[in-house]
Amino acid sequence: MALLDSAPLDVLDAYRTCEFATLGRDGTPLAWPTAVRRRPDGTLLLSTSLAFAQKALNIRRDGRVALLFSDPTGSGLAKPPQIFVGGHADCPDEIMTGPEGAEDYWRMLFERQPHSRSYVSAPMRLVMDWYYLRLLITVTPQQVVVRSPLPLSGAPAAPAGEPAGEPAGAAQLARFPTAVLAARDASGAPVLARTRPVPTGGGFAVDVPADCPAAPGPAALLVHRHDERLNHMHNALVRGELRADGTGWELVPSKVVEPMGSGRVSDAVSVLRSTRRATDRYLSRRGLPRPQVRWAEFRALARDARRS
């Protein structure tokens, strides 16, 4: 029996995205939303485009990763349990230009994200080839924890006597009812927990569930959203340091990262430019020409998804 079988697999499969954390060069756990496909052998398949290859580079440096299935938007489930998976990831430096070996993964994306089917046809493919130049990530679970849904209320109280103020990231976090805390345990492995940050003036008070062995040190808060069809996505990461004072936990922020911009129309153009530059940079550092995407194979999968 695979370790993952201890989780409610129908629930895990229904989640459209999960929060996925790798360890940055400085040890900070960096979490971003991503799509996951469960394999029959009990492993989990993810992917990242060359434009956002930092996840892959982090994994090649330290393969310890964490996943949290906690945002049920689009799943059709009402108040499903959260599922935490800690494990080890592998990401070979093999650029995939077609769907081979990941056909079920791509078919799932085309079914769940209908607007992405347009990327494989002219004229969109002229600017979207970076999206299909992918690195595959395989996660072997080593720990599975099933948690109850986050209650509708129960945010941590801000410490008494804290001065009023707006810590870095307050504006981004205020747009969301909850966030995902990415921290490390005593061994340095990433852990994840959904929580309700409360501004304290110098940072954010956060609750950490008892089954999440977070330790003081580098940490981050992730907020993200998408609609029922994985469209209108937005995400932001507030990086900082997790501290404990005997009465609770506080994340003291140092940096805010919004890779897709803040939602302005002009951000879309900036993102397309930056993704192309990042893709070129990844290839240039390896002395590789830009590969040709095998569009016909992707179009065939998109057609199958449209008919299903």
Side-chain angles (χ1 to χ4, degrees), residues 51-83:
F52 297 100
Q54 192 59 54
K55 292 189 288 291
L57 301 179
N58 291 346
I59 288 167
R60 292 168 191 165
R61 188 185 313 111
D62 190 329
R64 293 176 293 178
V65 299
L67 305 90
L68 181 65
F69 298 81
S70 67
D71 179 356
T73 303
S75 69
L77 302 175
K79 298 182 181 179
Q82 304 175 66
I83 303 173

Side-chain angles (χ1 to χ4, degrees), residues 232-248:
H232 302 107
M233 294 183 172
H234 178 73
N235 51 69
L237 190 72
V238 180
R239 297 179 56 170
E241 181 181 358
L242 186 64
R243 299 176 182 174
D245 62 6
T247 61

Side-chain angles (χ1 to χ4, degrees), residues 247-307:
T247 61
W249 293 93
E250 182 181 28
L251 184 127
V252 179
S254 59
K255 183 180 182 181
V256 179
V257 183
E258 290 184 281
M260 306 303 287
S262 60
R264 298 186 302 269
V265 174
S266 59
D267 289 338
V269 176
S270 297
V271 168
L272 287 175
R273 289 173 177 168
S274 64
T275 52
R276 190 162 190 88
R277 286 195 299 266
T279 300
D280 290 340
R281 189 161 53 246
Y282 186 95
L283 295 169
S284 175
R285 288 174 177 172
R286 287 157 180 76
L288 299 173
R290 197 178 188 90
Q292 294 296 311
V293 175
R294 301 210 296 276
W295 294 111
E297 296 172 36
F298 283 116
R299 283 199 301 272
L301 283 180
R303 284 194 300 269
D304 289 345
R306 187 176 290 110
R307 288 193 292 265

